Amino acid sequence: MTYAEHIVHGNVVSHHLVQLFDSQESRASEIAAYLREGWAAGDTLLALLSAAHWGATARLLREQQIDTGELVESGQLTLLDSTAMLSAIMRNGVLRTDLFEASVGATVRRLRHSRPGRLRVYGELVDLLAADGDFATAHRLEELWNDLLEREPLTLFCGYASECFGNPKASPALRLICDTHSHVRTSARDALGAFLVDRRGDSPAAPLRL
């Protein structure tokens, strides 16, 4: 059963999005658009990404007259380094549920309850795992995110590099990862990513723009 087909009981409504990026430019553009939409809606924003990816994203946001420094200073945007956060939830190469809850989970709960409005998250911890070929841990981390999304209403956007799944042997792993998401996004700029999503054996969910 895919996450999109899973029924979440109670009043928690969350979205879990994924996209494969062919280039750093495409990734930065999509992250910027996602954060800009959240900024315009007054959402609280959390980004777990590398310094390089944030630098490229911030330049695009500033070109659109969005003061990223003010966003951070006001508390509307929180930036966390993806490599440091991944290290915080792993011990001896093993993903730990308790550490995920104590770091990622605690951050999400704090932001959810410290500011009004919806929480919108961009994360690429899973991308670091996929880049190392550790698809099993990436899939497990997506499942931990889903457990959190069932308790805390938010929108989570996960980004992967398309090249991580270029080997046909990675197709089963990609299918499992896509199935943990409520929506699979594709873009004409990411031809390889769209091809890989299509190759996994079923049609992607309808794109969701939030």
Side-chain angles (χ1 to χ4, degrees), residues 41-45 76 111-119:
D43 295 345
T44 300
L45 310 173
Q76 185 176 1
L111 294 175
R112 272 255 304 119
H113 298 288
S114 64
R115 292 180 56 87
R118 189 170 181 83
L119 176 60

Side-chain angles (χ1 to χ4, degrees), residues 32 37 39 41-42 58 69 76 80 99 107 112 122 127 133 136 138 146 148 153 168 179 185 195 198 203 207:
E37 291 164 6
W39 164 77
Q76 185 176 1
L80 295 175
L99 296 178
T107 300
R112 272 255 304 119
Y122 170 77
D127 187 39
N146 280 344
L148 182 59
D179 283 351
R185 293 171 34 146
F195 168 76
D198 183 64
S203 299

Side-chain angles (χ1 to χ4, degrees), residues 132-153:
D132 285 338
D134 192 353
F135 300 123
T137 302
H139 179 250
R140 177 56 184 150
L141 181 51
E142 296 285 15
E143 291 182 322
L144 291 183
W145 271 113
N146 280 344
D147 291 342
L148 182 59
L149 266 62
E150 290 186 23
R151 289 177 273 122
E152 301 288 344

Side-chain angles (χ1 to χ4, degrees), residues 32-150:
Y34 176 73
L35 295 178
R36 183 180 65 248
E37 291 164 6
W39 164 77
D43 295 345
T44 300
L45 310 173
L46 169 62
L48 302 96
L49 73 180
S50 69
H53 292 166
W54 170 244
T57 300
R59 283 193 294 273
L60 293 177
L61 290 172
R62 288 193 293 269
E63 288 173 5
Q64 297 160 16
Q65 309 305 311
I66 296 176
D67 188 332
T68 57
E70 183 178 332
L71 277 182
V72 173
E73 186 176 347
S74 70
Q76 185 176 1
L77 171 62
T78 298
L79 298 172
L80 295 175
D81 179 76
S82 52
T83 300
M85 185 58 75
L86 184 60
S87 296
I89 64 177
M90 304 278 289
R91 285 295 181 273
N92 300 317
V94 177
L95 176 62
R96 291 262 299 268
T97 302
D98 59 331
L99 296 178
F100 176 86
E101 286 294 332
S103 52
V104 176
T107 300
V108 164
R109 287 186 289 273
R110 175 178 60 81
L111 294 175
R112 272 255 304 119
H113 298 288
S114 64
R115 292 180 56 87
R118 189 170 181 83
L119 176 60
R120 178 181 291 238
V121 182
Y122 170 77
E124 53 188 45
L125 306 184
V126 288
D127 187 39
L128 297 175
L129 294 165
D132 285 338
D134 192 353
F135 300 123
T137 302
H139 179 250
R140 177 56 184 150
L141 181 51
E142 296 285 15
E143 291 182 322
L144 291 183
W145 271 113
N146 280 344
D147 291 342
L148 182 59
L149 266 62
E150 290 186 23

